Amino acid sequence: MSVFQEKIEAACAKKVALYDESLARYALRSILAGAFLTMSTAVGILAADLISTQFPSLARFFFTFLFAIGLIYVLIFNGELATSNMMYLTTGAFYKKLKWSKVTQMLLYCTFFNLVGAIILAFLFNQSFTYGQLTDKSFVINAVQLKLGKTDWMNFIEGITANMFVNMAILGYMLLKSEGAKFFVALSAIFMFVFLINEHLIANFASFMLAGFSPVEGIKGFTLVNILRQWTVVFFGNWLGGGLFIGIAYAWL
């Protein structure tokens, strides 16, 4: 058995055991993962707005770097992130360690509570003085409008590539022994997909909720139907990118 297979099977066994033994604890781990990414997104947004007043070209760089730290938090503090579970659980099903129905059930449950975590933290941040000052020129408002203006094909393809980057980070963190190397691989992979403005479902939960609870009105394209359209397409793109292009590809290798 390869190291990859051993670690995937061990991770799947642990996740399934937690899910079967305590849905509440699994939900809380999922909420925390959504919260961690929303926390780093919230800080990145403010950093981008601040730096853009003097150095507009650096705004995206600062946001990207700070957002990437959120995934490090998820990894260190054992959050349940739907997009990494797409790789773990899909590969586990490929190895016949769990059924596809179980994979789908767990992914939907994890995704829902990732959203709950994003909603809670986005609401809390938007009660603060700083977030009360957001305007329609803010980095997050422009980012959300850009994402909601993309076609389904763009969202799907960028969902694939985004979760390939994410699960490269997960694999690096899983397989490497040096803590410094783990940190570098995870941070660099997340930085790359965010800098490309590729589509990651849980990251979108964070930015959309932060924009939605903000005092800014009339955000272009910000309707329930359009948001659900975007999230649905990105979900399947992420699943394909993490589950097939990374998980099953390495399982087959």
Side-chain angles (χ1 to χ4, degrees), residues 27-205:
L28 181 56
R29 285 190 182 275
S30 302
I31 288 171
L32 289 172
F36 294 150
L37 284 188
T38 305
M39 292 165 73
S40 61
T41 300
V43 177
I45 286 165
L46 296 181
D49 285 347
L50 181 63
I51 202 72
S52 66
T53 60
Q54 298 294 325
F55 307 101
S57 60
L58 292 179
R60 193 157 138 199
F61 178 90
F62 272 80
F63 170 78
T64 301
F65 175 76
L66 290 170
F67 170 84
I69 295 173
L71 183 75
I72 306 298
Y73 292 161
V74 173
L75 292 169
I76 292 173
F77 301 125
N78 295 315
E80 285 292 318
L81 189 67
T83 45
S84 61
N85 281 342
M86 288 171 179
M87 186 267 291
Y88 280 118
L89 299 177
T90 301
T91 310
F94 179 83
Y95 285 137
K96 302 186 186 305
K97 295 301 178 181
L98 63 162
K99 295 180 179 179
W100 286 104
S101 58
K102 186 75 167 184
V103 173
T104 304
Q105 181 184 356
M106 290 181 67
L107 283 180
L108 291 176
Y109 191 82
C110 183
T111 300
F112 175 77
F113 283 102
N114 285 168
L115 175 59
V116 171
I119 291 172
I120 293 171
L121 266 292
F123 174 78
L124 293 177
F125 279 119
N126 273 288
Q127 307 312 301
S128 68
F129 170 80
T130 305
Y131 264 80
Q133 311 307 306
L134 291 187
T135 70
D136 59 359
K137 304 297 183 184
S138 174
F139 183 88
V140 67
I141 305 302
N142 290 322
V144 168
Q145 290 180 149
L146 173 64
K147 290 173 177 292
L148 288 172
K150 291 180 181 178
T151 65
D152 288 342
W153 180 246
M154 288 178 183
N155 281 315
F156 183 67
I157 296 301
E158 292 182 15
I160 292 173
T161 54
N163 214 25
M164 290 179 70
F165 277 116
V166 169
N167 283 288
M168 286 165 57
I170 300 300
L171 283 181
Y173 208 85
M174 180 174 69
L175 297 173
L176 292 168
K177 295 182 179 180
S178 165
E179 293 300 324
K182 288 181 179 183
F183 182 84
F184 174 78
V185 170
L187 190 67
S188 62
I190 302 307
F191 183 96
M192 290 176 189
F193 100 75
V194 180
F195 197 79
L196 286 169
I197 322 179
N198 284 174
E199 299 300 325
H200 180 268
L201 183 62
I202 315 308
N204 286 351
F205 286 170

Side-chain angles (χ1 to χ4, degrees), residues 217-230:
E217 297 181 358
I219 300 173
K220 188 177 179 181
F222 200 82
T223 64
L224 180 60
V225 172
N226 198 28
I227 290 169
L228 293 177
R229 171 197 68 85
Q230 205 265 1

